[in-house]
Each structure stands twice: as structure tokens, then as C-alpha cells.
Amino acid sequence: MNIDMIEAAAERLSGVAIRTPLLSSPFLDDIAGRRVLVKPECIQHTGSFKFRGGWSAVSALPMADRARGVIAFSSGNHAQGVALAARRHAAPCVILMPSDAPRVKIDNTRALGAEVVLYDRETGNRDAIGAALAEERGLTLIRPFDEPQVIAGQGTVGLEIAEDARREDVAEAEVLVPCGGGGLSSGIALAFEARAPGLTVRPVEPDGFDDVKRSLASGGIERNNRTAGSLCDAILTPAPGEITFPILKRLARPGLVVTDDEALAAMAAAFARLHVVLEPGGAVALAAALYHADEIAGGTVIVVASGGNVDRALLIEALNRFGG
Amino acid sequence: MNIDMIEAAAERLSGVAIRTPLLSSPFLDDIAGRRVLVKPECIQHTGSFKFRGGWSAVSALPMADRARGVIAFSSGNHAQGVALAARRHAAPCVILMPSDAPRVKIDNTRALGAEVVLYDRETGNRDAIGAALAEERGLTLIRPFDEPQVIAGQGTVGLEIAEDARREDVAEAEVLVPCGGGGLSSGIALAFEARAPGLTVRPVEPDGFDDVKRSLASGGIERNNRTAGSLCDAILTPAPGEITFPILKRLARPGLVVTDDEALAAMAAAFARLHVVLEPGGAVALAAALYHADEIAGGTVIVVASGGNVDRALLIEALNRFGG
């Protein structure tokens, strides 16, 4: 993993990914007690930054591999990102999902042209089923975060932040990033190291799923006790990755943790003040900026709002409870 | 009014306004039966394109006038756009609002640093009160649409669409624009005339407030019978402007009309597929693209989503009724 891979991914994504701006609102600055700049990856294709990694990985494949197709294990944003990237490359795409995944996610992924293969979470072995399918059809597996070309794609978020921060005269700032397996955080951190050394990543996780925060503190990979039980489903992973963690250990500052309620309140703030839709996992970094200001340094904080794929019932709950 | 004024406004807005991208979703393309590209001005500062016109007008003032300050009559998006533009120029700003304006709009405008002067809609004469204040303090009035520097600012939306359409290889397309007094539509139309002659503006209005559509059809300025009674409050104006209408008459294609329910349905679609928040008046062009496809020509349609300042109750109604 190096900056050249990220720059190359940026070239392949140029004119394809949405070039998201940095948003701001004096009302959010007042809550946070400092300037807040928000990168809304919720308006990225398929509603999250995951499209970048998916496109980066699919577009990096040799033609022959691409023609045979790709496979991903996901019921969420990674599935949609890979599916759209594959379709626009005319590459076959298989997404392996648990049979109890929400109907709307199955339907959306199919609508993006992917073949959805369902397995039983209780009786089926996802990895074995996936390996058999990949073998049989010659598919390339695209992992959600521990995959160099995926990290390179997510790192393009960091290149864009570096460019826009420079234009805003922000030379030093903490950059809060929603963090599951660490693909986005580590890609951004590598981009900053090369292009904006005054910007540093702080991973943000949901309460009870702070594996990255604990791993950064202990210096070794720590695991979560649970794999479910937070509204922030997009960023619940058992542990940081083998590739992503060493990068974070070298480059990231300490992690931050927010509650589900803080994530919902940040969704309501993003609705009222930025006019974007965030999902809970996509709102954790904004929540940290707004409600954990005393754990953050500097006169400006930059926040990645990583995704917006939320059911309307949950958005309505956020607005009703925290809409002010 | 000419392209040089729009180019000059673009220079003054560079690095200040949010450079909004063009968004898309295969799901919206399916509904519309053609490619749909959406410019989300709801993520502009203060939640609507009005910030562009406000900034353009304030920044064009001679220093001495700016130091005395500006005044605007508005309870809505124009007020917030002018207020923030004035504050960031350190110019005093008076906003004249009816005393029955929603509390939240009064508070928001004050929070943006403006002095809000309230008048009684029944007994007060807005124009007389405004003229007296302006005279007394030497304030410059910034009209919401029939004002060359405001039109120039809104026209920068057109320059950006022209640039992005070229990159998407779209040489010819209809561009649907939410239309009240015509400041945004006429500014965009002038930008296209000079920079993208294959793009043409089609104003979109709410049912019952189709003054621009009827004016374009008759060739003379037609008025609405009512000034209230649509959810699309941001674009309810009595008639097209003296400056804006001749531009639209020369350059725009026929107007389109949508119902309030269609605007609400478009808000729900924007939530689910683009992850942005639109207000009803900001959603009418998207509504026309999605639900009046047979009145539109071409393989690609471009849509301006002009604002996102909606109360949560109305967004929730839209999601509950049309959220699919």
C-alpha cells in the first residue's frame, strides 16, 4: 500500500465518482465550538464511499479476470458499491448475502445488476459457499476492507480532503472518520501522510464496538465481543484488518466513541443544517465533532459523513427525537 | 444582463460557494425513463442557491455602500442567503419580515447575524417601512430576483452545469429549473446561451402558480390569482420579473407544472436515492423529471434541486406517504 496506488485509483475514478465538496454551517460550528467541515460521501454513487473502493478494485483487474466476474460478501454498502462498479464495467457480479438480510437491500443490489446468492446464517458457511462459487466460475473476491485496491479507492477521499483543506487554508486539523474494518480510515491516513501531513485521522466507532480504539491503545489487534446490537450496522466489524491496522497504528491518533443516540442526533443535525441524509454509521464522526468537542484538538475539525443508506423509519425516529 | 456579469460573479463566488456536483441514480433513471442528472443546491450554504445571488450582490457593492449595509424583504431562503453573505462581508444587514413568519425562520436569520425587523402584514406597508429604513440608514435594497447582480449570482449554477454536462458528454438536454420570480431560471438561461447552447431551460412551477408558464405561452407577463396555498412556499411569487421575463421569453422552452403531491413524492425519492433533503419548492423540477416524463425531450434530463429548507414534519409526511 502506498500513495501511488491511491493516486492511480484517483485517476481511474476521475469523472466517475462524485467529487464531493466540504460542507459547513455556522449552526454546526456553534454546537461544536470550532469550525466544522463535512465531506458528504452520502451523496456518492450508491449512497456511500464504498463505491470508490468497489470501482478501484474492479477497474484494477486484468481484462480476463474482469470478464469472468467478481464476488463480494455483504448485505450493505459494499455490496451496492461493488455491484454498480461491476455493472458499469460490464463485469458479472455475485453478491453473497444472508437469507435474512432486509428485503430492500436484496432488491436494491439485484436492481444494480448483481446476482444475489442467499445463504442460511445458521447452517451455511459463507466462506465455503463463496470459495466454491469463486472457484467454479473463476470469480475474483473483493474484500470489503482488507484489500489493497479497495483501500486505495477509499484513500481518494483523503486526496480530495487534502486539496479542499488547502483551499480553505486549513494546514492542521484532526479528521474524524467513521471506522469499521478500517479501509476508509487507513486509505485517508495514507493520503494525508503524502499530501497533507498536517491532517491526521481519528477513527470514530459506536459504543460497544470500539475494537479499533482499543487496538490503537494496546498496539495489537483487539476484537469486539459482539457483532450486532448497534444501529450503526454499516461499521460493525469484529476487528481491524491485517492490512489496515498497521497503517492506522502508524498514522492515526486515538479513536473516539459515540453512542447510538449521539449518532441519531447527528443525523437530525445533518438534516436541518446540511440538508443531507446520513445513516447512523455514517453519522458517528459528525456526532463526535458535535458532542465530544472536548476530546478533539484544533480550531477546525474535518468530518467524513460516510454514508446515507438509512430506512425512513429510522430517519423519522432521529428527527422526532432530536429534530429540535 | 450579460454573460460577463455572470462570469464576474463566478469569480467572486469561487472558493466561497459550495461547488455542487451532478448526482445520479440508476433508480431515478428507471422511473424517468431517461438519464437524470441532479444539481443539489440544497447543500449550498444556507440550504439554497439563494446564497449565490446574495453573495454576488453584496460583493458587487462599492465599499462605502457595503459599510452602510443592506436590506432585504424575505421570510425565506433569500433572507438567509443575504444574511450570511452580509455577515461574511462584515456588512450590516436588515431583514424585513412579517411578524407572523415562522419562529424558526426568524431565529435562523437572526443567528446568521441579521437584524430582523418585523412588520404587521395587515396594518403595515412593507415597501414603505423598508424604504424609510433604507433612507434613514443608507441601506442598499437587495431584491430577491429582479436585480441584475442577483441574477448573475444565480447564473453561476448554469456555468457549473455547462461545465459538468460537457464532462458527461451531454451536448443537448433540457434543464428543469424550479421557478418563482425567475432569477435562477433566467441566470441559468443566460449562462447556457453563452457557454452551452445545446442546453435549454424549462421553468417548473407548482399547480395553481404557473404564472411563468402562462406568460411564456402568451408572450406577456401573466399574474397568479393567489399568492399562498401551495406547499412550495419558496417559489410562490405573483408574477415573473420585469428583468427576468424578457430573458426567459427569449431563451426558455415551455414551462412545466407539478402538483404538491408530486413534489412530496420527489422529496421522498431524493431521500431514498440521492440522500439529500429537498423542500417542496426545491423538488418541483425533480418531480417533473420523474412524473411528467412524456412532456420532456431527450435521452438525458438535467434537474436543479434548488433548496432544502423544509420543516421536519413536512419531510416526515413526504416519507410516510411516498417513501415506498
Side-chain angles (χ1 to χ4, degrees), chain A residues 18 42 275 277 308-309 312 324, chain B residues 22 42 275 277 308-309 312 319 324:
Chain A
I18 301 289
C42 55
H275 311 104
V277 176
N309 288 309
R312 80 189 138 108
Chain B
L22 289 179
C42 55
H275 311 104
V277 176
N309 288 310
R312 81 189 136 106
L319 298 183

Side-chain angles (χ1 to χ4, degrees), chain B residues 268-279:
Chain B
F271 152 77
R273 301 309 182 185
L274 301 175
H275 311 104
V276 293
V277 176
L278 303 186
E279 62 189 289

Side-chain angles (χ1 to χ4, degrees), chain A residues 31-34 287-297:
Chain A
I31 300 172
R34 56 170 61 86
L290 297 180
Y291 314 122
H292 292 258
D294 58 341
E295 300 168 45
I296 297 165

Side-chain angles (χ1 to χ4, degrees), chain A residues 269-295:
Chain A
F271 152 76
R273 300 310 183 183
L274 302 175
H275 311 104
V276 294
V277 176
L278 303 186
E279 62 188 289
V284 294
L286 180 59
L290 297 180
Y291 314 122
H292 292 258
D294 58 341
E295 300 168 45

Side-chain angles (χ1 to χ4, degrees), chain A residues 158 161-162 165 170-175 189 192-193 196-201 251 302:
Chain A
I161 291 174
V170 177
E172 294 203 2
E174 295 190 346
V175 180
F192 289 165
E193 181 186 34
L199 304 181
T200 43
V201 166
L251 298 173
I302 300 174

Side-chain angles (χ1 to χ4, degrees), chain B residues 67-136:
Chain B
R68 279 193 298 273
V70 297
I71 182 169
F73 308 159
S74 167
S75 59
N77 291 334
H78 179 58
Q80 294 193 50
V82 170
L84 183 60
R87 178 163 92 173
R88 288 174 62 176
H89 281 92
C93 177
V94 176
I95 303 288
L96 196 55
M97 277 190 191
S99 49
D100 61 350
R103 189 80 228 164
V104 61
K105 296 205 169 172
I106 297 174
D107 290 347
N108 280 349
T109 308
R110 283 203 176 117
L112 291 170
E115 176 187 351
V116 174
V117 174
L118 300 173
Y119 70 95
D120 188 307
R121 234 193 253 268
E122 303 294 319
T123 61
N125 179 325
R126 188 191 70 174
D127 292 339
I129 299 169
L133 268 171
E135 170 74 27
E136 187 188 312

Side-chain angles (χ1 to χ4, degrees), chain A residues 205-285:
Chain A
E205 295 167 294
D207 199 14
F209 300 87
D210 58 348
D211 51 307
V212 169
K213 178 180 177 171
R214 287 184 288 109
S215 299
L216 288 172
S218 77
I221 288 183
E222 309 284 342
R223 303 183 67 81
N224 290 320
N225 295 321
R226 300 177 293 161
T227 56
S230 161
L231 293 177
C232 303
D233 57 291
I235 54 173
L236 303 186
T237 39
E242 306 276 341
I243 302 175
T244 58
F245 181 63
I247 299 169
L248 292 176
K249 187 175 167 181
R250 184 163 63 82
L251 298 173
R253 282 192 198 156
L256 293 155
V257 171
V258 304
T259 66
D260 278 3
D261 272 5
E262 289 169 337
L264 291 175
M267 288 164 60
F271 152 76
R273 300 310 183 183
L274 302 175
H275 311 104
V276 294
V277 176
L278 303 186
E279 62 188 289
V284 294

Side-chain angles (χ1 to χ4, degrees), chain A residues 58-108:
Chain A
V58 173
S59 61
L61 288 177
M63 287 289 272
D65 292 349
R66 208 188 289 166
R68 278 192 299 272
V70 297
I71 182 170
F73 306 159
S74 167
S75 59
N77 291 334
H78 180 58
Q80 293 193 50
V82 170
L84 182 61
R87 179 163 88 172
R88 289 175 60 177
H89 282 91
C93 177
V94 176
I95 304 288
L96 197 54
M97 277 191 190
S99 49
D100 60 351
R103 188 81 228 165
V104 61
K105 296 204 171 175
I106 297 174
D107 289 346
N108 280 350

